[in-house]
């Protein structure tokens, strides 16, 4: 059924190709772009979005399609263009004229910056948009950690710890301990263990901190025994 839908949309878009800005031609191309985007075929999605995006700038759904185009470009490695497009989505979403994709664009812009190696720009962006900055830093830290970009995730967790209330200080501290433990960074591990004394933690959080402390102590004891 999906194949047939794409087939008829393609035929319809071909028939209206002489006038790409006609209502039916634009809708057909956007529908095809959405289908390919949903399938993860970002190259084809980009091709269809690119063909009509400039003709729908006054449409309320412009932000939605530009958002998808931004992600398509990001997936295809056009990261600078993706960042520009997502910044436009974020900015335009402040207007009642467009569908509000601001929250998602804000989140994804941070991902785009960080994945492109621009952690400092990600921090500047989060600070400029306000809101729960600590949560934004924390979420970005998790994103980078999942991608095994540990040094960059450390920077985000530290920023979340510094900017956050008790909740995000605890969350960030646990993540920092896990990374310092992974790399055997005892100096910084101890620094944050000491900071934990001044935080209010629930039972599960305290158990997680104690787990890392016990694990680190056992490793140090083993190293000490082997040195004799």
């Amino acid at each position: 059924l999906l194949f047939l839908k794409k087939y008829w949309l393609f035929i319809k878009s071909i028939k209206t190709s002489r006038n790409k800005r006609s209502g039916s031609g634009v809708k057909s191309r956007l529908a095809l772009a959405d289908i390919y985007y949903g399938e993860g075929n970002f190259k084809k999605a980009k091709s269809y979005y690119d063909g009509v995006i400039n003709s729908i700038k006054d449409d309320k759904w412009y932000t939605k399609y530009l958002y998808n185009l931004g992600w398509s470009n990001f997936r295809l490695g056009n990261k600078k263009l993706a960042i520009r497009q997502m910044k436009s989505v974020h900015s335009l979403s402040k207007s009642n004229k467009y569908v509000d994709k601001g929250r998602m664009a804000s989140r994804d812009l941070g991902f785009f910056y960080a994945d492109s190696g621009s952690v400092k720009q990600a921090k500047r962006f989060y600070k400029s948009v306000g809101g729960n900055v600590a949560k934004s830093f924390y979420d970005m830290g998790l994103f980078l950690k999942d991608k095994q970009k540990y040094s960059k995730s450390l920077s985000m967790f530290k920023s979340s710890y510094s900017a956050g209330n008790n909740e995000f200080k605890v969350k960030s501290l646990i993540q920092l301990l896990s990374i310092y433990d992974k790399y055997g960074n005892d100096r910084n591990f101890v620094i944050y263990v000491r900071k934990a004394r001044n935080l209010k933690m629930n039972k599960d959080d305290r158990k997680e901190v104690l787990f890392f402390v016990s694990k680190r102590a056992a490793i140090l004891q083993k190293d000490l025994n082997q040195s004799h």
Side-chain angles (χ1 to χ4, degrees):
L1 289 176
L2 186 58
F3 171 78
L4 288 174
K5 184 177 180 180
K6 282 195 290 188
Y7 174 77
W8 287 113
L9 284 169
F10 178 72
I11 294 297
K12 190 173 182 180
S13 70
I14 291 297
K15 287 180 178 179
T16 57
S17 61
R18 291 181 181 177
N19 185 8
K20 292 183 179 181
R21 297 194 178 192
S22 68
S24 58
V26 169
K27 288 180 181 177
S28 297
R29 284 171 172 75
L30 288 174
L32 275 168
D34 283 348
I35 290 173
Y36 284 122
Y37 180 82
E39 291 178 344
N41 190 336
F42 300 109
K43 187 175 182 179
K44 283 192 174 182
K46 171 181 165 57
S47 176
Y48 281 103
Y49 284 133
D50 276 340
V52 295
I53 197 71
N54 288 329
S55 66
I56 61 168
K57 286 186 175 181
D58 291 326
D59 190 292
K60 73 172 185 177
W61 293 100
Y62 175 67
T63 45
K64 180 253 190 185
Y65 295 118
L66 188 62
Y67 175 87
N68 289 356
L69 179 56
W71 261 109
S72 297
N73 275 308
F74 183 78
R75 295 294 190 187
L76 293 171
N78 306 320
K79 295 182 180 180
K80 288 184 178 179
L81 177 57
I83 287 171
R84 288 200 301 272
Q85 290 172 334
M86 203 60 75
K87 284 177 74 174
S88 293
V89 173
H90 183 265
S91 177
L92 292 171
S93 291
K94 296 174 184 177
S95 169
N96 293 330
K97 180 180 176 180
Y98 297 103
V99 171
D100 187 0
K101 301 284 288 185
R103 189 172 182 179
M104 295 174 70
S106 175
R107 175 200 65 193
D108 296 343
L109 258 174
F111 292 170
F112 288 5
Y113 277 129
D115 193 74
S116 302
S118 304
V119 174
K120 289 182 179 179
Q121 282 184 282
K123 288 182 178 181
R124 282 199 296 270
F125 173 74
Y126 283 140
K127 288 178 179 177
S128 71
V129 298
N132 193 336
V133 177
K135 183 180 185 304
S136 296
F137 284 144
Y138 180 79
D139 290 343
M140 177 54 57
L142 291 180
F143 171 77
L144 292 167
K145 186 182 178 185
D146 287 343
K147 283 184 164 287
Q148 299 183 333
K149 296 183 177 181
Y150 296 107
S151 61
K152 292 177 182 177
S153 68
L154 279 172
S155 178
M156 286 296 177
F157 289 132
K158 286 179 182 178
S159 295
S160 178
Y161 182 91
S162 298
N165 56 16
N166 187 81
E167 177 189 357
F168 280 98
K169 283 187 185 299
V170 172
K171 287 176 177 288
S172 300
L173 181 136
I174 290 171
Q175 294 299 328
L176 288 165
L177 291 181
S178 73
I179 297 173
Y180 288 136
D181 171 63
K182 178 180 178 66
Y183 286 99
N185 189 328
D186 295 320
R187 180 178 175 276
N188 284 313
F189 185 89
V190 170
I191 287 173
Y192 279 92
V193 167
R194 288 172 177 167
K195 289 179 184 291
R197 299 173 183 173
N198 301 317
L199 298 176
K200 294 180 180 179
M201 288 184 256
N202 61 36
K203 184 178 179 181
D204 290 336
D205 291 334
R206 192 168 297 281
K207 186 183 294 185
E208 201 161 358
V209 170
L210 288 173
F211 165 77
F212 286 118
V213 171
S214 300
K215 180 184 175 185
R216 198 82 227 123
I219 291 172
L220 291 173
Q221 183 63 53
K222 182 179 178 180
D223 290 344
L224 184 64
N225 291 338
Q226 289 177 346
S227 66
H228 286 77

